[in-house]
Amino acid sequence: MLAQSQAILTPHALYISGQLPALASGEIPSGSMAYKTSLCIANLKAILAAAGSDISRVIKTTVFLTDMKNFTEVNGEYERHFGVNGAPKPARSCVAVHQLPKGVEVEIECVALPGGGAAGHSEEEIERRVAG
């Protein structure tokens, strides 16, 4: 059991905990930084959907990297998902850290606006939908 919530939904915002580059099974696969970034974003998208929101409603992200030399590759993949199809680009911080959980090199967290019908989803409902 995690010592955190995957997400907390308030009437005005959805706060999503940092997502690692993990498969649904929890496995941390090897691969390029672009691939690892895409996994982090896929996990964010799953939680956004479970809460009734989507990536176009993300207003702030924080990207954690263990080595800033990976910024360009991470940023290239990031730009494929955020601020597309007319959606505004979210505010973003990118932070270099000494290490991340499970030895990963990238982690991404975000804050989003609730989507249509999201206000009715409790923290437990979001957790159940993500785990489901």
Side-chain angles (χ1 to χ4, degrees):
M1 191 95 216
L2 293 174
Q4 66 187 38
S5 298
Q6 286 281 15
I8 297 291
L9 180 63
T10 72
H12 304 289
L14 172 63
Y15 299 88
I16 300 179
S17 295
Q19 296 300 301
L20 303 180
L23 301 173
S25 65
E27 175 190 354
I28 306 289
S30 59
S32 69
M33 285 303 294
Y35 175 62
K36 293 173 185 178
T37 302
S38 73
L39 288 174
C40 293
I41 294 169
N43 292 332
L44 290 173
K45 286 179 177 180
I47 296 168
L48 287 160
S53 191
D54 65 57
I55 199 161
S56 71
R57 299 188 56 79
V58 172
I59 57 173
K60 171 72 169 90
T61 63
T62 305
V63 178
F64 301 95
L65 295 173
T66 57
D67 193 329
M68 279 297 186
K69 75 178 182 190
N70 294 318
F71 177 80
T72 301
E73 188 175 355
V74 168
N75 191 56
E77 183 64 25
Y78 179 98
E79 287 181 333
R80 294 183 60 239
H81 301 273
F82 292 99
V84 297
N85 299 323
K89 293 181 181 179
R92 177 179 68 178
S93 299
C94 186
V95 182
V97 296
H98 175 69
Q99 63 186 40
L100 290 165
K102 299 187 178 185
V104 301
E105 300 167 284
V106 61
E107 178 178 353
I108 305 174
E109 67 180 22
C110 73
V111 178
L113 298 173
H121 298 313
S122 68
E123 176 185 335
E124 293 79 18
E125 175 69 9
I126 293 168
E127 291 283 346
R128 187 181 62 72
R129 286 179 177 209
V130 170

